[in-house]
């Protein structure tokens, strides 16, 4: 009954390959995210999707293509992998709502991360 | 632009000592959220607390306490009577309250090592 689950946990691949990371949440949240954590532990948002629609794209190379088949899933496909893509990728979800003009966002719930190593 | 600064890169303490983690933030928004997350050696990111900009009350949860000072743009975190299990990287984060454009800006993290 994991809330946000990502697969695989570890991914080792060679430069030039194409790979995908899958993410699913069973919290009923309507917004999902991908964050990247580099070797210095710095965390930065890559994408967010709300109800299958792309909301945030933080100047990520277009070799990275997120796909959201439904609001419970947000997969990340990476083409032509490069050494610099090695990092830990975290999926997350949140529930957002409006009350009048005020937006409320729940805290992000993160998956356990996928450690991608490109050799 | 939003920015979060965690000036302490690493802190090492002996068990039962108190440890305070500093977090200073910058934002132009009047409504925003502040967070702390814990990342233990196993790698997952664990949500600890969220505080909105209108609520300056300090909070205590067990051995954890948070001190939010809007006047100094700080949101510090104290672990009282630290234990080995507290060893982790702790991240402070900031977000505005824009619906659907909601993203966390993380600090660089503070690595806490608690020695037995």
């Amino acid at each position: 009954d994991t809330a946000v689950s990502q697969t695989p946990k570890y991914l080792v691949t060679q430069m030039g390959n194409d790979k995908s990371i899958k993410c699913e949440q069973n919290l009923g949240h309507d917004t999902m995210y991908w964050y990247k954590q580099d070797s210095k532990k710095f965390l930065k948002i890559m994408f967010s999707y709300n109800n299958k629609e792309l909301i945030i794209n933080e100047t990520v190379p277009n070799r990275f293509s997120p796909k959201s088949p439904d609001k419970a899933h947000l997969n990340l496909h990476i083409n032509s992998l490069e050494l610099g893509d090695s990092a830990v990728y975290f999926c997350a979800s949140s529930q957002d709502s409006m009350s009048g003009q005020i937006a409320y966002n729940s805290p992000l719930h993160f998956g356990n991360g996928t450690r991608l190593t490109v050799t | 632009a939003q920015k979060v600064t965690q000036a302490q890169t690493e802190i090492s303490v002996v068990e039962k000592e108190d440890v305070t983690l500093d977090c200073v933030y910058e934002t132009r928004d009047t409504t925003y959220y502040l967070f702390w997350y814990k990342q233990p050696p196993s790698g997952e990111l664990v949500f600890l607390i969220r505080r909105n900009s209108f609520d300056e009350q300090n909070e205590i949860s067990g051995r954890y306490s948070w001190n939010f000072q809007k006047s100094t743009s700080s949101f510090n975190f104290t672990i009282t009577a630290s234990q080995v299990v507290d060893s982790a990287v702790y991240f402070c984060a900031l977000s505005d309250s824009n619906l659907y454009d909601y993203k966390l800006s993380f600090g660089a993290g503070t690595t806490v090592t608690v020695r037995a």
Side-chain angles (χ1 to χ4, degrees), chain A residues 33 35 37 41 45 50 55-56 58 90 96 98 103 105-108 112, chain B residues 33 35 37 39 43-45 47 50 91 97 99-104 106:
Chain A
Y33 310 79
Y35 278 77
Q37 186 174 42
K41 298 277 187 184
I45 191 168
N50 176 268
I55 303 297
I56 295 173
E58 284 286 298
F90 285 95
D96 311 312
M98 289 290 290
N105 311 98
S106 71
L108 262 61
N112 286 341
Chain B
Y33 294 104
F35 302 79
Y37 280 84
Q39 188 173 38
E44 70 271 26
L45 282 161
F47 166 74
R50 178 178 69 169
F91 293 96
S97 64
L99 191 65
Y100 309 138
D101 188 21
Y102 174 50
K103 55 188 173 186
L104 294 185
F106 282 88

Side-chain angles (χ1 to χ4, degrees), chain B residues 4 7 17 21-22 30 37-38 44 50 58 66 69 75-76 78 80 82 89 99 105 107-109:
Chain B
V4 177
E17 285 184 358
L21 311 181
D22 297 333
T30 54
Y37 280 84
K38 173 182 179 180
E44 70 271 26
R50 178 178 69 169
N58 291 330
W66 291 270
Q69 299 266 351
F75 186 44
N76 297 339
T78 297
T80 303
S82 60
V89 182
L99 191 65
S105 298

Side-chain angles (χ1 to χ4, degrees), chain B residues 44-79:
Chain B
E44 70 271 26
L45 282 161
V46 179
F47 166 74
L48 295 179
I49 190 171
R50 178 178 69 169
R51 173 67 65 203
N52 77 47
S53 50
F54 296 116
D55 183 1
E56 284 194 72
Q57 275 197 333
N58 291 330
E59 178 149 344
I60 298 174
S61 175
R63 295 183 299 105
Y64 294 169
S65 61
W66 291 270
N67 183 342
F68 177 26
Q69 299 266 351
K70 215 165 170 179
S71 59
T72 55
S73 298
S74 65
F75 186 44
N76 297 339
F77 171 32
T78 297
I79 304 172

Side-chain angles (χ1 to χ4, degrees), chain A residues 41, chain B residues 6 8-12 19 21 39 86-91 108-114:
Chain A
K41 298 277 187 184
Chain B
Q6 294 180 254
Q8 303 145 308
T9 309
E10 294 183 25
I11 300 176
S12 181
V19 55
L21 311 181
Q39 188 173 38
D86 296 325
S87 296
V89 182
Y90 291 86
F91 293 96
T110 298
T111 300
V112 173
T113 303
V114 182

Side-chain angles (χ1 to χ4, degrees), chain A residues 101-103, chain B residues 1-2 25-34 51-56 68-71 73 94-98:
Chain A
Q101 296 297 314
I102 300 176
Chain B
Q2 297 181 327
Y25 62 92
E26 293 175 33
T27 179
R28 291 185 192 146
D29 297 315
T30 54
T31 303
Y32 52 88
Y33 294 104
L34 294 161
R51 173 67 65 203
N52 77 47
S53 50
F54 296 116
D55 183 1
E56 284 194 72
F68 177 26
Q69 299 266 351
K70 215 165 170 179
S71 59
S73 298
L94 166 72
S95 76
D96 59 29
S97 64
N98 285 329

